[in-house]
Amino acid sequence: MSSVHHRTATVDGYEIFYREAGPADAPTIVLLHGYPTSSFMFRELIPLLADDYHVIAPDHLGFGHSDAPRVGEFTYTFDALADLTSGLLDQLGLGRYALYVQDYGAPIGWRLALRHPERISALVTQNGNGYEDGFVESFWSDVWAYAANPGPDTEPAVRAALSIDAIRWQYVHGVPDPSLVSPDTWEHDFALVSREGNDEVQLALFRDYPNNRPLYPLLHEFLRAGEVPVLAVWGRNDEIFGPAGARAFARDAKDAEVHLINGGHFLLESHLDVVAGYLRGFLGRVLG
């Protein structure tokens, strides 16, 4: 089994942490994590890919082991996070790569694809939304209300998402056997979002989230025009991004595989081998 290296790079003055494994001359796959986690979510997937692929998994600024400047020191938007990710990949000399996106990793990944479509060899979305179809309104209504009118009337509902109970819910909801999900996951994430000042980082990104929606038609055109192969492997019981969001990729991607699995939002914690099997089969088919 390939070794996993834990590295940092300075991008625009900020230290960005990333995990790297696999032969440097193999096809590259970039893994982009979601909220509220980090590249930690890929800790068990990376070794399953690294024998055949060059794997890069960064922590977004404000998450994991990357720098986490205060809101007054950095303007947290998905555009800004994509800028830093792009800068990291440029530093690493990655001219072509597949993207694996989940949750927040999706709007960051879509920006990378739209800026440099020639670099994208394949897209893998694991509960990473790219369609209006994917939003589960019962979850997102509070985010939309807060983003439209931030203040004391709307903030408490979204601030509750920073609690350990809400983070645990993201991990275990929709999982048929929750005992498969290690409590290390939500305790790890809760400790990091509980760092002094990190709550304001997360609130800033909640406020910015609606700015991802105008990207969706551009993404759909990219999928139609570029004919990039897409794998959507999705926890069908996710009540953040529902399964309709997975099926929608088949509308625009000429080469699309869609697999709905009996799991939740963080599918790797309960169905690692299933996801890895679909992923390796897909990458082997489209990348060789």
Side-chain angles (χ1 to χ4, degrees):
M1 184 175 290
S2 297
S3 299
V4 178
H5 300 272
H6 304 84
R7 309 188 192 277
T8 59
T10 302
V11 182
D12 293 341
Y14 298 102
E15 291 296 302
I16 302 298
F17 172 87
Y18 63 99
R19 301 170 198 256
E20 181 173 20
D25 59 351
T28 298
I29 179 166
V30 177
L31 311 178
L32 299 179
H33 69 83
Y35 168 85
T37 186
S38 63
S39 62
F40 180 77
M41 72 168 282
F42 300 118
R43 66 199 179 280
E44 295 181 354
L45 179 64
I46 292 171
L48 300 182
L49 300 175
D51 285 349
D52 297 310
Y53 301 99
H54 178 216
V55 187
I56 299 290
D59 289 354
H60 309 313
L61 195 77
F63 294 82
H65 296 293
S66 288
D67 279 350
R70 300 288 189 97
V71 164
E73 302 166 346
F74 183 84
T75 301
Y76 282 90
T77 65
F78 286 91
D79 279 337
L81 297 185
D83 289 344
L84 291 171
T85 304
S86 180
L88 172 66
L89 301 183
D90 286 347
Q91 275 197 34
L92 298 178
L94 301 180
R96 190 157 173 84
Y97 44 83
L99 284 173
Y100 180 121
V101 301
Q102 193 264 354
D103 192 85
Y104 276 12
I108 294 170
W110 306 152
R111 284 169 169 82
L112 299 180
L114 292 171
R115 292 175 187 180
H116 294 287
E118 74 284 355
R119 297 183 181 181
I120 308 303
S121 58
L123 290 176
V124 179
T125 173
Q126 183 252 297
N127 299 77
N129 198 44
Y131 289 82
E132 293 291 332
D133 312 51
F135 291 116
V136 177
E137 188 59 24
S138 59
F139 179 90
W140 286 97
S141 58
D142 289 335
V143 177
W144 307 145
Y146 174 62
N149 186 29
D153 293 333
T154 57
E155 183 178 310
V158 293
R159 187 174 280 276
L162 308 178
S163 70
I164 193 166
D165 288 341
I167 293 172
R168 179 183 182 276
W169 177 87
Q170 288 202 34
Y171 277 98
V172 301
H173 185 78
V175 180
D177 183 0
S179 71
L180 293 172
V181 183
S182 169
D184 296 342
T185 54
W186 61 80
E187 290 180 0
H188 173 272
D189 292 354
F190 178 68
L192 290 172
V193 300
S194 298
R195 291 174 293 177
E196 186 176 358
N198 198 259
D199 57 340
E200 296 299 331
V201 170
Q202 306 307 331
L203 291 174
L205 290 171
F206 292 163
R207 292 192 297 270
D208 190 55
Y209 201 92
N211 292 321
N212 296 322
R213 299 169 83 175
L215 291 178
Y216 291 171
L218 303 177
L219 169 67
H220 307 159
E221 176 57 29
F222 162 74
L223 295 176
R224 291 191 296 270
E227 299 187 359
V228 63
V230 174
L231 169 67
V233 57
W234 210 276
R236 68 172 183 243
N237 306 321
D238 186 356
E239 292 194 28
I240 299 173
F241 298 120
R247 297 187 189 100
F249 282 91
R251 290 206 297 261
D252 294 303
K254 181 178 179 181
D255 181 357
E257 289 185 33
V258 178
H259 301 283
L260 301 177
I261 297 168
N262 189 23
H265 188 65
F266 283 108
L267 196 56
L268 294 177
E269 301 302 330
S270 59
H271 292 77
L272 173 68
D273 290 342
V274 176
V275 174
Y278 283 129
L279 180 56
R280 288 184 62 87
F282 172 77
L283 293 176
R285 178 173 67 82
V286 303
L287 300 184

